[in-house]
Amino acid sequence: MQFSFQFPPAEDAPAQARAALEVFDQILAPDVLEDLQLVVSELVTNSVKFGPARPITLAMAIGTNGIVKGEVIDQGDGERAKVEMTIEPTVDGGWGLHLVDQVAHRWGVHEGSTHVWFEIGPQRRT
């Protein structure tokens, strides 16, 4: 099953994204839905904070094995992301990608963009 959502580059976009994912509460295990909401919220937050102020797209596919593959796309060119996207938390921030790194099975950024992909499933990374 494939799904796509679009959100404005506004302060409430992360909350809109979390709410949109509630429709999967009968499809996904509760812990997978919780992880998905966390990862999507953090990635959409980064798009709002560091993106080019264009619509943010969330594209997802849910496999029969319970693995969710998704992408958050904010149409940025990745230049600012090279500086801002670090998984090293500091007192001032940086916890978002650290959390994504801890929860997602795999994740990454398409080279030269702020097009971030992720995979989440029934078992967290160990």
Side-chain angles (χ1 to χ4, degrees):
M1 294 189 294
Q2 295 187 359
F3 304 91
S4 182
F5 302 91
Q6 195 164 56
F7 309 102
E11 236 177 76
D12 68 340
Q16 288 182 39
R18 284 190 305 276
L21 295 172
E22 285 293 329
V23 300
F24 301 112
D25 69 339
Q26 300 297 310
I27 298 171
L28 298 172
D31 58 329
V32 174
L33 179 58
E34 184 179 299
D35 288 350
L36 179 62
Q37 288 176 310
L38 173 67
V39 166
V40 167
S41 180
E42 294 300 337
L43 295 177
V44 170
T45 296
N46 281 353
S47 291
V48 171
K49 288 171 87 173
F50 306 119
R54 295 185 193 139
I56 300 161
T57 301
L58 167 62
M60 296 183 346
I62 301 174
T64 56
N65 57 359
I67 300 289
V68 179
K69 294 181 180 184
E71 302 174 321
V72 174
I73 307 155
D74 67 17
Q75 304 172 43
D77 63 10
E79 284 305 309
R80 186 168 178 190
K82 288 178 186 174
V83 175
E84 303 290 348
M85 290 186 70
T86 176
I87 60 169
E88 292 299 320
T90 67
V91 172
D92 296 329
W95 288 98
L97 290 179
H98 176 74
L99 291 171
V100 170
D101 192 56
Q102 296 302 304
V103 173
H105 288 198
R106 299 180 330 131
W107 71 280
V109 180
H110 291 287
E111 187 64 36
S113 72
T114 51
H115 182 151
V116 182
W117 60 269
F118 60 86
E119 292 180 10
I120 295 172
Q123 289 85 32
R124 283 189 176 171
R125 284 177 34 173
T126 55

PDB file of all heavy atoms in Angstrom, residues 87-118:
ATOM      1  N   ILE A  87      23.766  14.161  13.559  1.00  0.00           N
ATOM      2  CA  ILE A  87      23.101  13.301  14.530  1.00  0.00           C
ATOM      3  C   ILE A  87      23.747  13.426  15.901  1.00  0.00           C
ATOM      4  O   ILE A  87      23.493  12.648  16.798  1.00  0.00           O
ATOM      5  CB  ILE A  87      23.075  11.822  14.079  1.00  0.00           C
ATOM      6  CG1 ILE A  87      24.480  11.268  13.897  1.00  0.00           C
ATOM      7  CG2 ILE A  87      22.260  11.648  12.823  1.00  0.00           C
ATOM      8  CD1 ILE A  87      24.534   9.769  13.720  1.00  0.00           C
ATOM      9  N   GLU A  88      24.589  14.445  16.057  1.00  0.00           N
ATOM     10  CA  GLU A  88      25.233  14.683  17.345  1.00  0.00           C
ATOM     11  C   GLU A  88      24.426  15.679  18.155  1.00  0.00           C
ATOM     12  O   GLU A  88      24.395  16.867  17.847  1.00  0.00           O
ATOM     13  CB  GLU A  88      26.656  15.220  17.131  1.00  0.00           C
ATOM     14  CG  GLU A  88      27.594  14.201  16.529  1.00  0.00           C
ATOM     15  CD  GLU A  88      27.777  12.972  17.407  1.00  0.00           C
ATOM     16  OE1 GLU A  88      27.878  13.105  18.639  1.00  0.00           O
ATOM     17  OE2 GLU A  88      27.794  11.866  16.854  1.00  0.00           O
ATOM     18  N   PRO A  89      23.749  15.223  19.196  1.00  0.00           N
ATOM     19  CA  PRO A  89      22.954  16.148  20.018  1.00  0.00           C
ATOM     20  C   PRO A  89      23.831  17.129  20.786  1.00  0.00           C
ATOM     21  O   PRO A  89      24.946  16.799  21.198  1.00  0.00           O
ATOM     22  CB  PRO A  89      22.227  15.227  20.992  1.00  0.00           C
ATOM     23  CG  PRO A  89      22.418  13.841  20.501  1.00  0.00           C
ATOM     24  CD  PRO A  89      23.634  13.849  19.622  1.00  0.00           C
ATOM     25  N   THR A  90      23.300  18.340  20.937  1.00  0.00           N
ATOM     26  CA  THR A  90      23.965  19.358  21.741  1.00  0.00           C
ATOM     27  C   THR A  90      22.922  19.943  22.683  1.00  0.00           C
ATOM     28  O   THR A  90      21.747  19.614  22.615  1.00  0.00           O
ATOM     29  CB  THR A  90      24.533  20.483  20.856  1.00  0.00           C
ATOM     30  OG1 THR A  90      23.433  21.189  20.268  1.00  0.00           O
ATOM     31  CG2 THR A  90      25.466  19.958  19.782  1.00  0.00           C
ATOM     32  N   VAL A  91      23.352  20.848  23.521  1.00  0.00           N
ATOM     33  CA  VAL A  91      22.428  21.517  24.434  1.00  0.00           C
ATOM     34  C   VAL A  91      21.382  22.296  23.635  1.00  0.00           C
ATOM     35  O   VAL A  91      20.223  22.383  24.023  1.00  0.00           O
ATOM     36  CB  VAL A  91      23.204  22.461  25.380  1.00  0.00           C
ATOM     37  CG1 VAL A  91      22.254  23.304  26.212  1.00  0.00           C
ATOM     38  CG2 VAL A  91      24.133  21.669  26.264  1.00  0.00           C
ATOM     39  N   ASP A  92      21.787  22.848  22.471  1.00  0.00           N
ATOM     40  CA  ASP A  92      20.893  23.687  21.671  1.00  0.00           C
ATOM     41  C   ASP A  92      20.029  22.908  20.690  1.00  0.00           C
ATOM     42  O   ASP A  92      19.204  23.483  20.007  1.00  0.00           O
ATOM     43  CB  ASP A  92      21.700  24.719  20.885  1.00  0.00           C
ATOM     44  CG  ASP A  92      22.408  25.682  21.817  1.00  0.00           C
ATOM     45  OD1 ASP A  92      21.869  25.954  22.903  1.00  0.00           O
ATOM     46  OD2 ASP A  92      23.497  26.150  21.457  1.00  0.00           O
ATOM     47  N   GLY A  93      20.233  21.612  20.551  1.00  0.00           N
ATOM     48  CA  GLY A  93      19.425  20.849  19.598  1.00  0.00           C
ATOM     49  C   GLY A  93      20.188  19.677  19.034  1.00  0.00           C
ATOM     50  O   GLY A  93      21.180  19.221  19.593  1.00  0.00           O
ATOM     51  N   GLY A  94      19.724  19.209  17.894  1.00  0.00           N
ATOM     52  CA  GLY A  94      20.359  18.076  17.245  1.00  0.00           C
ATOM     53  C   GLY A  94      19.816  16.732  17.699  1.00  0.00           C
ATOM     54  O   GLY A  94      20.296  15.691  17.271  1.00  0.00           O
ATOM     55  N   TRP A  95      18.810  16.749  18.557  1.00  0.00           N
ATOM     56  CA  TRP A  95      18.256  15.492  19.072  1.00  0.00           C
ATOM     57  C   TRP A  95      17.374  14.802  18.048  1.00  0.00           C
ATOM     58  O   TRP A  95      17.189  13.590  18.103  1.00  0.00           O
ATOM     59  CB  TRP A  95      17.479  15.743  20.367  1.00  0.00           C
ATOM     60  CG  TRP A  95      18.398  16.042  21.503  1.00  0.00           C
ATOM     61  CD1 TRP A  95      18.727  17.263  21.989  1.00  0.00           C
ATOM     62  CD2 TRP A  95      19.144  15.090  22.273  1.00  0.00           C
ATOM     63  NE1 TRP A  95      19.620  17.148  23.023  1.00  0.00           N
ATOM     64  CE2 TRP A  95      19.895  15.817  23.217  1.00  0.00           C
ATOM     65  CE3 TRP A  95      19.251  13.703  22.255  1.00  0.00           C
ATOM     66  CZ2 TRP A  95      20.734  15.205  24.133  1.00  0.00           C
ATOM     67  CZ3 TRP A  95      20.092  13.092  23.171  1.00  0.00           C
ATOM     68  CH2 TRP A  95      20.825  13.839  24.091  1.00  0.00           C
ATOM     69  N   GLY A  96      16.776  15.549  17.132  1.00  0.00           N
ATOM     70  CA  GLY A  96      15.852  14.973  16.159  1.00  0.00           C
ATOM     71  C   GLY A  96      16.461  13.856  15.341  1.00  0.00           C
ATOM     72  O   GLY A  96      15.927  12.751  15.282  1.00  0.00           O
ATOM     73  N   LEU A  97      17.587  14.123  14.685  1.00  0.00           N
ATOM     74  CA  LEU A  97      18.215  13.090  13.862  1.00  0.00           C
ATOM     75  C   LEU A  97      18.837  11.992  14.717  1.00  0.00           C
ATOM     76  O   LEU A  97      18.923  10.848  14.276  1.00  0.00           O
ATOM     77  CB  LEU A  97      19.240  13.704  12.913  1.00  0.00           C
ATOM     78  CG  LEU A  97      18.628  14.545  11.804  1.00  0.00           C
ATOM     79  CD1 LEU A  97      19.716  15.137  10.923  1.00  0.00           C
ATOM     80  CD2 LEU A  97      17.635  13.746  10.972  1.00  0.00           C
ATOM     81  N   HIS A  98      19.222  12.317  15.928  1.00  0.00           N
ATOM     82  CA  HIS A  98      19.706  11.285  16.843  1.00  0.00           C
ATOM     83  C   HIS A  98      18.568  10.295  17.123  1.00  0.00           C
ATOM     84  O   HIS A  98      18.770   9.085  17.106  1.00  0.00           O
ATOM     85  CB  HIS A  98      20.211  11.917  18.142  1.00  0.00           C
ATOM     86  CG  HIS A  98      20.643  10.924  19.163  1.00  0.00           C
ATOM     87  ND1 HIS A  98      21.819  10.223  19.055  1.00  0.00           N
ATOM     88  CD2 HIS A  98      20.036  10.489  20.288  1.00  0.00           C
ATOM     89  CE1 HIS A  98      21.922   9.393  20.084  1.00  0.00           C
ATOM     90  NE2 HIS A  98      20.851   9.538  20.853  1.00  0.00           N
ATOM     91  N   LEU A  99      17.361  10.814  17.370  1.00  0.00           N
ATOM     92  CA  LEU A  99      16.212   9.945  17.598  1.00  0.00           C
ATOM     93  C   LEU A  99      15.879   9.129  16.358  1.00  0.00           C
ATOM     94  O   LEU A  99      15.591   7.932  16.450  1.00  0.00           O
ATOM     95  CB  LEU A  99      15.001  10.777  18.031  1.00  0.00           C
ATOM     96  CG  LEU A  99      15.089  11.420  19.406  1.00  0.00           C
ATOM     97  CD1 LEU A  99      13.928  12.379  19.613  1.00  0.00           C
ATOM     98  CD2 LEU A  99      15.121  10.364  20.491  1.00  0.00           C
ATOM     99  N   VAL A 100      15.902   9.769  15.196  1.00  0.00           N
ATOM    100  CA  VAL A 100      15.654   9.048  13.942  1.00  0.00           C
ATOM    101  C   VAL A 100      16.654   7.910  13.802  1.00  0.00           C
ATOM    102  O   VAL A 100      16.298   6.779  13.465  1.00  0.00           O
ATOM    103  CB  VAL A 100      15.729   9.998  12.729  1.00  0.00           C
ATOM    104  CG1 VAL A 100      15.721   9.229  11.415  1.00  0.00           C
ATOM    105  CG2 VAL A 100      14.584  11.003  12.770  1.00  0.00           C
ATOM    106  N   ASP A 101      17.907   8.188  14.102  1.00  0.00           N
ATOM    107  CA  ASP A 101      18.958   7.181  13.990  1.00  0.00           C
ATOM    108  C   ASP A 101      18.733   6.014  14.953  1.00  0.00           C
ATOM    109  O   ASP A 101      19.051   4.871  14.636  1.00  0.00           O
ATOM    110  CB  ASP A 101      20.328   7.835  14.246  1.00  0.00           C
ATOM    111  CG  ASP A 101      21.476   6.931  13.867  1.00  0.00           C
ATOM    112  OD1 ASP A 101      21.522   6.481  12.701  1.00  0.00           O
ATOM    113  OD2 ASP A 101      22.318   6.646  14.739  1.00  0.00           O
ATOM    114  N   GLN A 102      18.174   6.291  16.108  1.00  0.00           N
ATOM    115  CA  GLN A 102      17.929   5.248  17.105  1.00  0.00           C
ATOM    116  C   GLN A 102      16.697   4.402  16.779  1.00  0.00           C
ATOM    117  O   GLN A 102      16.653   3.222  17.101  1.00  0.00           O
ATOM    118  CB  GLN A 102      17.762   5.866  18.495  1.00  0.00           C
ATOM    119  CG  GLN A 102      19.000   6.550  19.012  1.00  0.00           C
ATOM    120  CD  GLN A 102      20.194   5.615  19.092  1.00  0.00           C
ATOM    121  OE1 GLN A 102      20.123   4.579  19.738  1.00  0.00           O
ATOM    122  NE2 GLN A 102      21.260   5.953  18.412  1.00  0.00           N
ATOM    123  N   VAL A 103      15.698   4.996  16.159  1.00  0.00           N
ATOM    124  CA  VAL A 103      14.410   4.328  15.952  1.00  0.00           C
ATOM    125  C   VAL A 103      14.311   3.649  14.586  1.00  0.00           C
ATOM    126  O   VAL A 103      13.797   2.537  14.476  1.00  0.00           O
ATOM    127  CB  VAL A 103      13.253   5.339  16.142  1.00  0.00           C
ATOM    128  CG1 VAL A 103      11.917   4.728  15.767  1.00  0.00           C
ATOM    129  CG2 VAL A 103      13.227   5.827  17.589  1.00  0.00           C
ATOM    130  N   ALA A 104      14.768   4.304  13.531  1.00  0.00           N
ATOM    131  CA  ALA A 104      14.644   3.754  12.179  1.00  0.00           C
ATOM    132  C   ALA A 104      15.601   2.585  11.981  1.00  0.00           C
ATOM    133  O   ALA A 104      16.707   2.577  12.519  1.00  0.00           O
ATOM    134  CB  ALA A 104      14.923   4.845  11.152  1.00  0.00           C
ATOM    135  N   HIS A 105      15.151   1.596  11.209  1.00  0.00           N
ATOM    136  CA  HIS A 105      16.048   0.490  10.852  1.00  0.00           C
ATOM    137  C   HIS A 105      17.207   1.032  10.017  1.00  0.00           C
ATOM    138  O   HIS A 105      18.360   0.672  10.237  1.00  0.00           O
ATOM    139  CB  HIS A 105      15.303  -0.558  10.037  1.00  0.00           C
ATOM    140  CG  HIS A 105      14.326  -1.356  10.839  1.00  0.00           C
ATOM    141  ND1 HIS A 105      13.842  -2.547  10.408  1.00  0.00           N
ATOM    142  CD2 HIS A 105      13.740  -1.142  12.042  1.00  0.00           C
ATOM    143  CE1 HIS A 105      12.998  -3.033  11.301  1.00  0.00           C
ATOM    144  NE2 HIS A 105      12.915  -2.189  12.291  1.00  0.00           N
ATOM    145  N   ARG A 106      16.825   1.857   9.053  1.00  0.00           N
ATOM    146  CA  ARG A 106      17.803   2.515   8.181  1.00  0.00           C
ATOM    147  C   ARG A 106      17.229   3.866   7.803  1.00  0.00           C
ATOM    148  O   ARG A 106      16.022   4.046   7.781  1.00  0.00           O
ATOM    149  CB  ARG A 106      18.039   1.703   6.899  1.00  0.00           C
ATOM    150  CG  ARG A 106      18.566   0.339   7.116  1.00  0.00           C
ATOM    151  CD  ARG A 106      18.800  -0.495   5.838  1.00  0.00           C
ATOM    152  NE  ARG A 106      17.931  -0.204   4.727  1.00  0.00           N
ATOM    153  CZ  ARG A 106      18.349   0.020   3.471  1.00  0.00           C
ATOM    154  NH1 ARG A 106      19.627  -0.008   3.171  1.00  0.00           N
ATOM    155  NH2 ARG A 106      17.492   0.250   2.498  1.00  0.00           N
ATOM    156  N   TRP A 107      18.107   4.813   7.486  1.00  0.00           N
ATOM    157  CA  TRP A 107      17.667   6.101   6.987  1.00  0.00           C
ATOM    158  C   TRP A 107      18.837   6.774   6.294  1.00  0.00           C
ATOM    159  O   TRP A 107      19.996   6.380   6.469  1.00  0.00           O
ATOM    160  CB  TRP A 107      17.104   6.990   8.106  1.00  0.00           C
ATOM    161  CG  TRP A 107      18.137   7.523   9.063  1.00  0.00           C
ATOM    162  CD1 TRP A 107      18.693   6.858  10.107  1.00  0.00           C
ATOM    163  CD2 TRP A 107      18.751   8.804   9.029  1.00  0.00           C
ATOM    164  NE1 TRP A 107      19.609   7.658  10.739  1.00  0.00           N
ATOM    165  CE2 TRP A 107      19.667   8.857  10.103  1.00  0.00           C
ATOM    166  CE3 TRP A 107      18.619   9.921   8.206  1.00  0.00           C
ATOM    167  CZ2 TRP A 107      20.438   9.977  10.368  1.00  0.00           C
ATOM    168  CZ3 TRP A 107      19.394  11.040   8.476  1.00  0.00           C
ATOM    169  CH2 TRP A 107      20.290  11.062   9.547  1.00  0.00           C
ATOM    170  N   GLY A 108      18.537   7.774   5.489  1.00  0.00           N
ATOM    171  CA  GLY A 108      19.596   8.497   4.804  1.00  0.00           C
ATOM    172  C   GLY A 108      19.021   9.676   4.038  1.00  0.00           C
ATOM    173  O   GLY A 108      17.821   9.941   4.064  1.00  0.00           O
ATOM    174  N   VAL A 109      19.904  10.375   3.349  1.00  0.00           N
ATOM    175  CA  VAL A 109      19.530  11.550   2.566  1.00  0.00           C
ATOM    176  C   VAL A 109      20.009  11.322   1.144  1.00  0.00           C
ATOM    177  O   VAL A 109      21.152  10.924   0.922  1.00  0.00           O
ATOM    178  CB  VAL A 109      20.199  12.828   3.143  1.00  0.00           C
ATOM    179  CG1 VAL A 109      19.819  14.053   2.330  1.00  0.00           C
ATOM    180  CG2 VAL A 109      19.837  13.003   4.608  1.00  0.00           C
ATOM    181  N   HIS A 110      19.113  11.570   0.184  1.00  0.00           N
ATOM    182  CA  HIS A 110      19.528  11.490  -1.208  1.00  0.00           C
ATOM    183  C   HIS A 110      20.530  12.614  -1.466  1.00  0.00           C
ATOM    184  O   HIS A 110      20.274  13.770  -1.100  1.00  0.00           O
ATOM    185  CB  HIS A 110      18.333  11.602  -2.151  1.00  0.00           C
ATOM    186  CG  HIS A 110      17.426  10.410  -2.090  1.00  0.00           C
ATOM    187  ND1 HIS A 110      17.764   9.186  -2.620  1.00  0.00           N
ATOM    188  CD2 HIS A 110      16.194  10.253  -1.552  1.00  0.00           C
ATOM    189  CE1 HIS A 110      16.784   8.327  -2.416  1.00  0.00           C
ATOM    190  NE2 HIS A 110      15.816   8.953  -1.760  1.00  0.00           N
ATOM    191  N   GLU A 111      21.640  12.296  -2.061  1.00  0.00           N
ATOM    192  CA  GLU A 111      22.727  13.246  -2.295  1.00  0.00           C
ATOM    193  C   GLU A 111      22.226  14.504  -3.006  1.00  0.00           C
ATOM    194  O   GLU A 111      21.447  14.425  -3.947  1.00  0.00           O
ATOM    195  CB  GLU A 111      23.823  12.590  -3.141  1.00  0.00           C
ATOM    196  CG  GLU A 111      25.073  13.435  -3.312  1.00  0.00           C
ATOM    197  CD  GLU A 111      25.796  13.698  -2.003  1.00  0.00           C
ATOM    198  OE1 GLU A 111      25.831  12.814  -1.130  1.00  0.00           O
ATOM    199  OE2 GLU A 111      26.335  14.808  -1.858  1.00  0.00           O
ATOM    200  N   GLY A 112      22.653  15.655  -2.510  1.00  0.00           N
ATOM    201  CA  GLY A 112      22.329  16.929  -3.146  1.00  0.00           C
ATOM    202  C   GLY A 112      20.911  17.412  -2.903  1.00  0.00           C
ATOM    203  O   GLY A 112      20.413  18.242  -3.646  1.00  0.00           O
ATOM    204  N   SER A 113      20.268  16.886  -1.858  1.00  0.00           N
ATOM    205  CA  SER A 113      18.883  17.295  -1.601  1.00  0.00           C
ATOM    206  C   SER A 113      18.603  17.231  -0.104  1.00  0.00           C
ATOM    207  O   SER A 113      19.453  16.848   0.676  1.00  0.00           O
ATOM    208  CB  SER A 113      17.911  16.368  -2.330  1.00  0.00           C
ATOM    209  OG  SER A 113      17.885  15.094  -1.702  1.00  0.00           O
ATOM    210  N   THR A 114      17.392  17.596   0.246  1.00  0.00           N
ATOM    211  CA  THR A 114      16.920  17.369   1.610  1.00  0.00           C
ATOM    212  C   THR A 114      15.770  16.361   1.545  1.00  0.00           C
ATOM    213  O   THR A 114      14.777  16.466   2.248  1.00  0.00           O
ATOM    214  CB  THR A 114      16.480  18.689   2.276  1.00  0.00           C
ATOM    215  OG1 THR A 114      15.579  19.364   1.408  1.00  0.00           O
ATOM    216  CG2 THR A 114      17.673  19.566   2.576  1.00  0.00           C
ATOM    217  N   HIS A 115      15.939  15.387   0.700  1.00  0.00           N
ATOM    218  CA  HIS A 115      14.997  14.301   0.474  1.00  0.00           C
ATOM    219  C   HIS A 115      15.475  13.147   1.368  1.00  0.00           C
ATOM    220  O   HIS A 115      16.424  12.447   1.041  1.00  0.00           O
ATOM    221  CB  HIS A 115      15.086  13.942  -1.009  1.00  0.00           C
ATOM    222  CG  HIS A 115      14.162  12.878  -1.459  1.00  0.00           C
ATOM    223  ND1 HIS A 115      13.697  12.836  -2.736  1.00  0.00           N
ATOM    224  CD2 HIS A 115      13.620  11.810  -0.846  1.00  0.00           C
ATOM    225  CE1 HIS A 115      12.925  11.783  -2.888  1.00  0.00           C
ATOM    226  NE2 HIS A 115      12.868  11.147  -1.752  1.00  0.00           N
ATOM    227  N   VAL A 116      14.818  12.992   2.531  1.00  0.00           N
ATOM    228  CA  VAL A 116      15.262  12.028   3.542  1.00  0.00           C
ATOM    229  C   VAL A 116      14.380  10.783   3.471  1.00  0.00           C
ATOM    230  O   VAL A 116      13.156  10.884   3.481  1.00  0.00           O
ATOM    231  CB  VAL A 116      15.193  12.638   4.959  1.00  0.00           C
ATOM    232  CG1 VAL A 116      15.702  11.651   5.995  1.00  0.00           C
ATOM    233  CG2 VAL A 116      15.995  13.933   5.021  1.00  0.00           C
ATOM    234  N   TRP A 117      15.013   9.611   3.403  1.00  0.00           N
ATOM    235  CA  TRP A 117      14.272   8.349   3.365  1.00  0.00           C
ATOM    236  C   TRP A 117      14.487   7.594   4.683  1.00  0.00           C
ATOM    237  O   TRP A 117      15.460   7.839   5.395  1.00  0.00           O
ATOM    238  CB  TRP A 117      14.703   7.493   2.173  1.00  0.00           C
ATOM    239  CG  TRP A 117      16.164   7.131   2.190  1.00  0.00           C
ATOM    240  CD1 TRP A 117      17.193   7.834   1.608  1.00  0.00           C
ATOM    241  CD2 TRP A 117      16.757   6.002   2.829  1.00  0.00           C
ATOM    242  NE1 TRP A 117      18.384   7.202   1.859  1.00  0.00           N
ATOM    243  CE2 TRP A 117      18.152   6.068   2.611  1.00  0.00           C
ATOM    244  CE3 TRP A 117      16.252   4.937   3.573  1.00  0.00           C
ATOM    245  CZ2 TRP A 117      19.033   5.112   3.100  1.00  0.00           C
ATOM    246  CZ3 TRP A 117      17.133   3.987   4.065  1.00  0.00           C
ATOM    247  CH2 TRP A 117      18.509   4.086   3.825  1.00  0.00           C
ATOM    248  N   PHE A 118      13.554   6.690   4.984  1.00  0.00           N
ATOM    249  CA  PHE A 118      13.665   5.910   6.217  1.00  0.00           C
ATOM    250  C   PHE A 118      12.921   4.590   6.075  1.00  0.00           C
ATOM    251  O   PHE A 118      12.051   4.438   5.210  1.00  0.00           O
ATOM    252  CB  PHE A 118      13.098   6.690   7.418  1.00  0.00           C
ATOM    253  CG  PHE A 118      11.654   7.044   7.286  1.00  0.00           C
ATOM    254  CD1 PHE A 118      10.651   6.168   7.669  1.00  0.00           C
ATOM    255  CD2 PHE A 118      11.271   8.273   6.744  1.00  0.00           C
ATOM    256  CE1 PHE A 118       9.305   6.487   7.528  1.00  0.00           C
ATOM    257  CE2 PHE A 118       9.940   8.617   6.608  1.00  0.00           C
ATOM    258  CZ  PHE A 118       8.951   7.711   6.999  1.00  0.00           C
TER     259      PHE A 118
END
